[in-house]
Each structure stands twice: as structure tokens, then as C-alpha cells.
Amino acid sequence: MRPVLLLLLPLLAAVVVSAEPKVPAVYVFGDSTADVGNNNYLPGDDAKANFPHYGIDFPHQRPTGRFSNGYNGVDFMAIHMGFRRSPPPYLSIVNKTHTPILRGLRGVNFASGGSGILDTTGSTITMTKQVQDFAALTSNIVSHTNASRMNYLLSRSVFLISSGGNDVFAFLFATNSSPSAAETQQFYDAMVANYSIHLKALYDLGARKFALIDVPPIGCCPYSRSQHPLGACIDGLNDLAKGVNDRIKLLLANLSSKLDGVRYTIGSSYNFVLSMIADPAGVGLQDVKSACCGGGKLGAEAGCSPNTTYCGNRSQYLFWDRIHPTHATSARAGLAFYGGSLEFAAPINLKQLVEE
């Protein structure tokens, strides 16, 4: 059991909303680890979670489009920053202007399940489109305030990005799980180049404080384990995830030295999830391999749906469905990223970023 998690656990019960948010706003970009309902507004059934048993532990047992039984990690990070939870999905408020939150002055969530750093990943709202939607929002903000006030607001706000796992899955699938060294290097180069483009675009729009969440060890999620004869982690997926993470760390260090005013934190979902798997009993978990909601081997051969079963002891499961964490796991992760040690958030944690 790592001491930092022991120190964090007693604080979980004390997650309360501050009287006033600690930053003007939080703007969220990414994939299903951050989506709070944008995909509900897209046609078709791809990458959606707006049906039972999703949301069974959300207030009023309401499926919102979060890929969770309750809140996701973004919700808990927003709570620690003084907000009620994640800001609303962009597609739920676009063109609405009757309150500050609907004008984007308190933040907006642009994340879309199924998307990636690469625009070729998935068929939902690409990262490029998410950034373009933010640009449209800034025009809306200017129409209700002025450029000087907007620039100040954005420079003090937090820009949270959680993405990359879908790119890794897609790359390994495209190469039949056996990419060559040259193909792997090309993938890493494309990830870094595109991540850099997105970050610079946000910087040019006024972002200065970045909170990135790295790629988790997706080779250990129930879906990946179900593909292994013994239910073990898929090392190839984890190696690719770590390779992406290592390069994004270097990218951020480089960009922060070149772009004036940039401050950042990288929350390590990779280290966090592995620490939970290494000592489940130490953090009160009984199952770190299976999906709470699903069917078949490890609950991962069938996705979570109204027709599948779900566990009663959800707080004792690491995973809610075959890919995503439970509400309880997200609560622990949010606190580790916000106030944890360098193992879980570096070069500073989110709390330090907020207070700068």
C-alpha cells in the first residue's frame, strides 16, 4: 500500500464544494473519461451512455451520458476546485445565454466519448472540433463582456484534457496487435505533433493553465483482460500507453519553456490505476479485474446496458464497465490528481496549479 493513498482516503468523505470556486472557470476536452453528455446530442448509438445502468449512483439515478455509475474524474476535480461538478456539456448549452454558466463564464465541457488526440480516431467529436467549439465560445463570451476581461478570465481558468486511450486502442487494432518499431515510432510522432497543435491552439485562444490526464494502463481494463487467455493484462497496450505518456511529458516541458505564462500539471492515471491493482485490499477494493456492469468473461464480453447485470458492491470495484472506472475509483483519482504526490501529479499537482 502506498502511503499517499492511505493519506488521501480519509479525505474522500470530506469532498465539499467551496463557497466560491478557486478559479474563474474550467474548460474540459477529451474522450469518454471526461464526457458528461455531449454524445447524447449526436445521431446514432455510437459511444453513448445515456441509458441504464449508467448513472445508477448519480443524483436521482439519472443516466447523463457519463460513462460511470455516478460521477467521473472530471466531476471530482471540478468539485475540488470549488464547483458543483463538471461544467455542462457544450452541446446542451450552445446558443443559450441567459445565465453566466450558459455563457461559458464558469466553464464548459467539450469532451466526447470515442474521440482521441488524432482526428482519425473514432467517429464522434474530434479534438480539433472540440477546440473549434471553444473558439466559438470565446466569441460568445466577448459579446457579453470585453476582450480584456475575457483574456484575464481565461488566463486564470483551468483547461483540463483527458484523452489518448482510444488512439492507442485504434493503433494496435490497425496493426493487428503487432506493430513494427517504425510504425510505433510514427504513431508516437503523430500523437505528439497533434497534441502540440491542440495545446498551441488553446494557448492562442487564451489558455495558460493546463491540467492533463495521461493514458491509463488500458491493457488492464476488463475488456483487455477478457482478450487474454488467463485474464491477465495486455502488456503491449500498457507499453504503448506508457510510451505516449513519456512523450507527452517531454512535450509539456518543452512547450512550457517556450510559451510565455504556461503552467501545467499531468495527473497520472497510469500510476494511479496500477497502484490500485497492486494493493486492492489497502484501498478497500475487492475486484480490480472485472466490470461491475456487463456480461460474459470478467463482465467484459457484453457492454453495460439495461439488459446486463450489475454488482451491488460498486464501491469495491475498480471498474464500472469494461473500460471505465466506478464513481468510487474516480473519487480517489480526482483527489490524487488534485492534492497527491509527484507519483500521481507532476511537476505540480492540480491544487498547486489552481493556487498559482
Side-chain angles (χ1 to χ4, degrees):
M1 176 66 188
R2 287 172 167 78
V4 66
L5 286 180
L6 282 172
L7 291 171
L8 291 173
L9 287 175
L11 299 176
L12 286 171
V15 175
V16 294
V17 180
S18 301
E20 285 294 329
K22 300 170 184 176
V23 294
V26 55
Y27 298 99
V28 183
F29 306 83
D31 56 24
S32 57
T33 59
D35 190 352
V36 294
N38 278 306
N39 282 10
N40 298 353
Y41 298 86
L42 302 181
D45 299 321
D46 189 33
K48 291 188 176 178
N50 57 344
F51 49 81
H53 304 291
Y54 289 100
I56 192 170
D57 295 310
F58 195 85
H60 309 295
Q61 296 187 318
R62 179 166 55 97
T64 61
R66 289 167 171 80
F67 292 77
S68 170
N69 56 306
Y71 286 175
N72 62 24
V74 169
D75 288 307
F76 286 106
M77 285 183 278
I79 288 170
H80 288 299
M81 287 186 276
F83 297 93
R84 185 181 179 193
R85 51 181 175 251
S86 166
Y90 175 71
L91 294 183
S92 74
I93 66 167
V94 65
N95 298 325
K96 296 179 181 178
T97 60
H98 56 277
T99 68
I101 193 168
L102 297 187
R103 291 199 299 266
L105 295 175
R106 298 296 287 271
V108 176
N109 189 315
F110 299 89
S112 176
S115 67
I117 299 301
L118 306 177
D119 286 350
T120 53
T121 297
S123 58
T124 54
I125 307 170
T126 65
M127 185 67 76
T128 294
K129 182 62 167 64
Q130 292 177 38
V131 175
Q132 290 171 348
D133 287 341
F134 173 71
L137 179 76
T138 61
S139 297
N140 186 17
I141 293 175
V142 168
S143 71
H144 291 89
T145 176
N146 58 67
S148 177
R149 181 167 180 245
M150 183 192 73
N151 290 336
Y152 176 78
L153 179 152
L154 296 181
S155 70
R156 303 298 299 168
S157 297
V158 169
F159 288 73
L160 199 159
I161 304 172
S162 181
S163 188
N166 290 327
D167 300 289
V168 175
F169 272 126
F171 171 68
L172 207 64
F173 178 79
T175 55
N176 295 314
S177 299
S178 56
S180 67
E183 289 172 327
T184 300
Q185 187 58 52
Q186 289 173 352
F187 170 67
Y188 288 149
D189 290 345
M191 288 289 284
V192 171
N194 280 268
Y195 218 137
S196 179
I197 289 170
H198 302 318
L199 291 170
K200 288 178 179 177
L202 289 172
Y203 178 85
D204 289 342
L205 290 165
R208 293 297 181 269
K209 292 187 174 186
F210 294 94
L212 277 59
I213 307 301
D214 72 10
V215 182
I218 55 177
C220 292
C221 72
Y223 172 77
S224 299
R225 287 181 183 270
S226 72
Q227 306 301 305
H228 191 287
L230 302 178
C233 296
I234 303 294
D235 291 337
L237 278 168
N238 287 349
D239 291 343
L240 281 170
K242 187 175 186 305
V244 169
N245 293 340
D246 290 344
R247 287 160 177 80
I248 298 305
K249 285 181 188 176
L250 293 175
L251 169 66
L252 266 292
N254 182 46
L255 287 180
S256 67
S257 69
K258 294 180 178 179
L259 300 179
D260 186 50
V262 166
R263 299 291 182 270
Y264 72 95
T265 178
I266 301 177
S268 182
S269 60
Y270 190 92
N271 288 346
F272 174 79
V273 171
L274 288 184
S275 75
M276 304 283 273
I277 292 172
D279 184 19
V283 290
L285 295 177
Q286 290 186 355
D287 194 318
V288 296
K289 297 180 179 181
S290 306
C292 170
C293 182
K297 182 180 178 181
L298 299 177
E301 291 178 321
C304 182
S305 75
N307 299 320
T308 56
T309 59
Y310 61 90
C311 63
N313 56 335
R314 294 181 286 282
S315 65
Q316 296 175 336
Y317 272 66
L318 176 60
F319 294 99
W320 163 243
D321 64 14
R322 53 187 175 181
I323 293 176
H324 305 98
T326 59
H327 173 101
T329 300
S330 293
R332 293 184 174 98
L335 191 55
F337 302 155
Y338 185 77
S341 69
L342 289 170
E343 181 180 5
F344 302 113
I348 57 177
N349 59 37
L350 181 56
K351 182 175 187 290
Q352 292 168 317
L353 180 71
V354 165
E355 293 174 347
E356 283 191 350

